[in-house]
Amino acid sequence: MQEFGINDHKIIERWERIYLEEGPEGLSVERRGRGSTGRPKKLPKEVEEDLLAEVQRLRAENDYLKNLQAFVLEDERRQRRKRR
């Protein structure tokens, strides 16, 4: 610790544990940063297909509602013009 200027004994304990569990190669692995959240990397095929289908349905619904809103606004504008 004195030779390398390390003031925290916990770091040395961590390095010792890694060395004993994984050997010298374990010390060369980069361990900084946050660990994995533990969630699976890939969703099951069925879930992925269901989610894609839902996204497509929601996009279609969103497009429909946008067109409906534009139609209603245009209709209201025409009604106002007729009243004048």
Side-chain angles (χ1 to χ4, degrees):
M1 286 176 55
Q2 291 175 353
E3 182 179 339
F4 294 104
I6 299 171
N7 296 329
D8 189 3
H9 69 283
K10 294 283 187 185
I11 293 174
I12 303 299
E13 289 175 0
R14 199 175 313 129
W15 288 351
E16 182 181 18
R17 181 188 52 79
I18 292 170
Y19 182 81
L20 292 174
E21 289 177 1
E22 302 176 24
E25 301 84 25
L27 294 172
S28 64
V29 176
E30 182 70 38
R31 298 181 190 274
R32 290 185 288 182
R34 295 184 179 186
S36 174
T37 58
R39 67 182 176 122
K41 302 290 183 204
K42 190 93 169 159
L43 291 173
K45 187 80 170 167
E46 296 169 354
V47 173
E48 187 176 351
E49 289 173 355
D50 289 345
L51 290 173
L52 288 174
E54 184 176 3
V55 166
Q56 289 175 343
R57 184 188 61 77
L58 290 172
R59 285 181 179 165
E61 182 180 351
N62 198 19
D63 288 340
Y64 171 77
L65 291 173
K66 284 181 182 179
N67 289 335
L68 180 63
Q69 182 182 18
F71 177 75
V72 168
L73 290 174
E74 181 67 26
D75 192 43
E76 288 176 358
R77 193 168 47 121
R78 287 181 184 161
Q79 292 295 330
R80 279 189 227 133
R81 284 185 181 172
K82 287 182 181 179
R83 289 182 190 165
R84 292 183 183 177

